[in-house]
């Protein structure tokens, strides 16, 4: 996976004509921490897991990025996702570098108590690597506000009260209003910006969303609030479709009760692998990476793809989309709403001053709108893809900070 994000980096670096010297400084992660986590499982047996924290680049500020709990977490994945965080924070102008990490566990097979013990043990292993002014984790796949609360309390036990060590905390425990829905809302703002330029309104478009976790569910809710017709949804083991538009408040209620989309009475079940081929206006991958490949990219019918997930498009698929004129808004721009409100949370923790939700959402909107415009205008003026344009903007900012700091 790292070689794929590097491919996008090098392609943009080439268009910019930046030298090999700077490329070498920016490409590889600066620090990689790998730890063994041994905990007692509920059965009384010992469970061993591997945890990672990769800091890709800190030229523009403390490292920032999520923690993922998933069997696919390894050095390569964490490095790729850490690099994406460097470019993401730069493209939306947050004063952070990029990091990512996680644990190679499967939380669906663990009790809440086991996840808590694994998390606390992980913090006891990496507490010298993270910190409010060095590296600030946040939620990602299969981690949430509760996980962040454990991290904050465990870190504070060792270092003293330090809410700014992690973002995405519960609002009741120094979290920020609006953080949980921020990625989904940010994607909605991006979709509105795209439609402003390509014609129509959200209310006359159809949407298919792959993934109904934190990002996909809030995105569906915000699209529906604006009259958008969400016709298909999928989660880890099911998918539902209704050409008239799925009743989103009802499906949210269903998922809150049953923890799955399966069995939702007002839509038809269908094969979840088919979702990406549906004939809709906007297709949103909002789950894991590597969704679009050389094999399937030419079968995608949607003309607009919004990358709510990180790294859903392989370089081969990206080239196919480019040739076919499919508009792809890249992950480092499309899903930046989460880290933007993480930044607001961090600032509030440092100020020890709570902002109002309206202020947070107003600022989120301005950050997304401004970043989108910069990337869109560059892509149009240079006749390049939005991904290459976003990387160019990001590499320019990180490169300048690096040169100004000195090697
Ligand atoms: N995990 C999210 C991302 O990939 C959020 C990171 C953060 O808030 O630091 O952007």
């Amino acid at each position: 996976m790292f070689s794929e994000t590097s491919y996008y980096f090098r392609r943009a670096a080439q268009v910019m004509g930046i030298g090999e010297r700077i490329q070498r400084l920016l490409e590889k992660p600066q620090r990689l921490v790998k730890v063994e986590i041994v905990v007692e499982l509920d059965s009384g047996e010992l469970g061993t897991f591997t945890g990672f924290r990769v800091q890709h680049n800190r030229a523009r500020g403390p490292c920032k990025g999520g923690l993922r709990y998933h069997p696919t977490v390894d050095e390569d994945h964490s490095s790729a996702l850490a690099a994406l965080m460097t470019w993401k924070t730069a493209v939306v102008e947050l004063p952070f570098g990029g990091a990512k990490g996680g644990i190679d566990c499967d939380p669906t097979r663990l009790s809440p108590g086991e996840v808590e013990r694994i998390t606390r043990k992980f913090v006891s292993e990496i507490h010298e690597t993270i910190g409010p002014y060095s590296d600030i984790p946040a939620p990602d796949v299969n981690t949430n506000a509760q996980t962040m609360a454990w991290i904050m309390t465990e870190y504070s036990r060792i270092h003293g009260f330090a809410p700014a060590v992690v973002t995405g905390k519960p609002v009741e425990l120094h979290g920020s209003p609006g953080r949980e829905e921020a990625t989904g809302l940010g994607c909605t703002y991006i979709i509105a910006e795209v439609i402003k330029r390509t014609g129509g309104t959200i209310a006359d478009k159809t949407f298919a969303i792959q993934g109904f976790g934190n990002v996909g569910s809030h995105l569906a809710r915000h699209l529906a609030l604006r009259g958008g017709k969400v016709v298909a949804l999928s989660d880890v083991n099911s998918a539902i479709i209704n050409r008239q538009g799925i009743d989103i408040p009802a499906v949210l209620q269903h998922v809150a009760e049953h923890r799955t989309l399966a069995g939702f009475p007002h839509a038809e079940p269908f094969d979840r692998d088919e979702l990406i081929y549906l004939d809709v206006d906007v297709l949103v991958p909002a789950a894991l990476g590597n969704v679009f490949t050389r094999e399937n990219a030419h079968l995608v019918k949607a003309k607009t793809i919004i990358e709510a997930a990180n790294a859903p498009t392989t370089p081969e698929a990206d080239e196919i989309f480019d040739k076919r004129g499919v508009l792809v808004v890249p992950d480092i721009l499309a899903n930046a709403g989460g880290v933007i409100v993480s930044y607001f949370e961090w600032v509030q923790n440092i100020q020890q001053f709570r902002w109002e939700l309206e202020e947070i959402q107003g600022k989120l909107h301005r950050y997304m709108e401004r970043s989108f415009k910069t990337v869109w205008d560059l892509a149009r003026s240079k006749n390049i893809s939005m991904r290459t344009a976003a990387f160019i903007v990001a590499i320019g900012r990180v490169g300048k900070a690096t040169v100004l700091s000195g090697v």
Side-chain angles (χ1 to χ4, degrees):
M1 198 183 202
F2 185 72
S3 63
E4 300 182 340
T5 47
S6 276
Y7 168 87
Y8 293 135
F9 164 77
R10 278 198 231 112
R11 187 176 63 184
Q14 250 169 33
V15 177
M16 297 168 84
I18 65 168
E20 184 61 27
R21 204 177 133 87
I22 299 282
Q23 282 197 42
R24 268 175 52 198
L25 276 173
L26 302 185
E27 188 172 351
K28 299 240 172 75
Q30 294 185 329
R31 182 186 288 182
L32 198 154
V33 176
K34 178 177 174 186
V35 296
E36 278 303 292
I37 302 163
V38 185
V39 293
E40 193 171 312
L41 300 173
D42 293 349
S43 62
E45 274 172 45
L46 286 186
T48 52
F49 305 91
T50 311
F52 299 87
R53 187 67 181 170
V54 178
Q55 298 174 347
H56 176 258
N57 185 292
R58 60 185 95 89
R60 299 182 59 263
C63 293
K64 186 87 194 78
L67 288 175
R68 178 174 290 208
Y69 288 3
H70 196 272
T72 57
V73 170
D74 60 14
E75 187 178 318
D76 178 67
H77 265 70
S78 303
S79 300
L81 296 166
L84 286 179
M85 287 308 301
T86 298
W87 312 126
K88 192 184 301 185
T89 51
V91 86
V92 295
E93 287 193 280
L94 304 179
F96 289 133
K100 198 74 155 211
I103 303 173
D104 65 350
C105 64
D106 180 357
T108 60
R109 294 165 172 273
L110 297 164
S111 71
E114 288 170 330
V115 179
E116 176 174 356
R117 290 199 291 283
I118 292 167
T119 302
R120 291 191 187 277
K121 202 63 181 283
F122 182 47
V123 175
S124 75
E125 295 294 341
I126 63 156
H127 72 92
E128 280 161 336
T129 304
I130 59 172
Y133 293 103
S134 55
D135 181 354
I136 305 121
D140 198 85
V141 174
N142 290 337
T143 54
N144 54 29
Q146 174 63 79
T147 330
M148 301 306 118
W150 292 328
I151 295 175
M152 184 202 113
T153 51
E154 192 63 25
Y155 182 88
S156 295
R157 209 176 50 74
I158 308 168
H159 294 270
F161 179 66
V165 68
V166 67
T167 59
K169 299 177 293 292
V171 178
E172 299 77 11
L173 203 66
H174 310 284
S176 175
R179 172 60 185 87
E180 201 183 281
E181 63 181 303
T183 313
L185 180 57
C187 281
T188 312
Y189 292 148
I190 290 292
I191 290 169
E193 293 301 311
V194 170
I195 293 176
K196 210 194 271 177
R197 288 161 176 85
T198 54
T201 64
I202 287 182
D204 54 43
K205 304 287 181 217
T206 53
F207 301 86
I209 304 174
Q210 180 195 55
F212 206 64
N214 177 47
V215 181
S217 61
H218 284 292
L219 171 63
R221 189 169 61 77
H222 279 290
L223 289 172
L225 276 174
R226 289 157 179 78
K229 205 187 266 184
V230 180
V231 298
L233 295 168
S234 68
D235 61 20
V236 271
N237 40 38
S238 51
I240 55 171
I241 185 163
N242 181 341
R243 282 279 168 198
Q244 308 318 311
I246 296 169
D247 179 345
I248 299 298
V251 86
L252 286 167
Q253 180 72 31
H254 176 88
V255 170
E257 278 164 28
H258 302 92
R259 317 220 59 80
T260 170
L261 293 165
F264 179 63
H266 313 296
E268 298 301 316
F270 75 109
D271 180 353
R272 57 189 288 279
D273 294 336
E274 296 297 314
L275 182 133
I276 60 168
Y277 307 121
L278 290 176
D279 189 6
V280 288
D281 296 313
V282 182
L283 174 61
V284 187
L288 293 169
N290 283 336
V291 175
F292 304 117
T293 61
R294 185 205 321 248
E295 284 75 38
N296 64 26
H298 56 281
L299 299 171
V300 169
K301 295 191 194 67
K303 283 276 163 276
T304 302
I305 294 174
I306 307 292
E307 294 186 344
N310 286 314
T313 309
T314 61
E316 295 86 1
D318 197 58
E319 224 166 84
I320 297 170
F321 289 147
D322 220 18
K323 281 205 190 98
R324 293 186 45 223
V326 177
L327 174 64
V328 181
V329 183
D331 44 11
I332 59 171
L333 173 62
N335 70 32
V339 73
I340 292 172
V341 179
S342 272
Y343 168 55
F344 300 156
E345 179 173 329
W346 182 74
V347 171
Q348 290 172 81
N349 291 153
I350 286 168
Q351 293 179 329
Q352 300 197 6
F353 184 80
R354 169 74 64 90
W355 303 355
E356 302 288 329
L357 180 64
E358 298 78 66
E359 184 179 356
I360 289 161
Q361 293 189 336
K363 282 191 163 70
L364 170 63
H365 192 189
R366 283 198 293 284
Y367 270 72
M368 297 299 295
E369 202 178 20
R370 183 182 63 204
S371 311
F372 182 90
K373 184 175 181 330
T374 304
V375 173
W376 175 273
D377 290 350
L378 182 66
R380 294 286 123 159
S381 71
K382 293 226 177 312
N383 197 20
I384 51 178
S385 70
M386 286 200 78
R387 189 182 320 274
T388 301
F391 270 82
I392 288 177
V393 171
I395 294 168
R397 288 176 182 154
V398 181
K400 263 187 208 132
T402 306
V403 171
L404 286 169
S405 318
V407 174

